[in-house]
Short mmCIF file of all heavy atoms in Angstrom, two decimals:
data_model
loop_
_atom_site.label_atom_id
_atom_site.label_comp_id
_atom_site.label_asym_id
_atom_site.label_seq_id
_atom_site.Cartn_x
_atom_site.Cartn_y
_atom_site.Cartn_z
N GLY A 45 106.28 124.12 94.32
CA GLY A 45 106.59 125.50 94.64
C GLY A 45 107.56 126.16 93.72
O GLY A 45 107.84 125.61 92.62
N VAL A 46 108.04 127.30 94.10
CA VAL A 46 109.00 128.07 93.29
C VAL A 46 110.33 127.29 93.21
O VAL A 46 110.83 126.76 94.26
CB VAL A 46 109.26 129.46 93.88
CG1 VAL A 46 110.28 130.19 93.12
CG2 VAL A 46 107.93 130.24 93.96
N GLY A 47 110.91 127.18 92.05
CA GLY A 47 112.13 126.45 91.90
C GLY A 47 112.07 124.99 91.77
O GLY A 47 112.97 124.25 91.70
N HIS A 48 110.81 124.48 91.67
CA HIS A 48 110.62 123.02 91.52
C HIS A 48 110.98 122.62 90.13
O HIS A 48 110.56 123.24 89.14
CB HIS A 48 109.14 122.64 91.82
CG HIS A 48 108.82 121.22 91.48
ND1 HIS A 48 109.26 120.21 92.26
CD2 HIS A 48 108.08 120.66 90.49
CE1 HIS A 48 108.83 119.05 91.76
NE2 HIS A 48 108.13 119.30 90.69
N ASP A 49 111.79 121.55 90.03
CA ASP A 49 112.16 120.99 88.69
C ASP A 49 111.43 119.69 88.56
O ASP A 49 111.70 118.69 89.17
CB ASP A 49 113.71 120.76 88.71
CG ASP A 49 114.20 120.26 87.34
OD1 ASP A 49 113.42 120.39 86.33
OD2 ASP A 49 115.32 119.80 87.30
#
Side-chain angles (χ1 to χ4, degrees):
V46 177
H48 173 71
D49 183 16

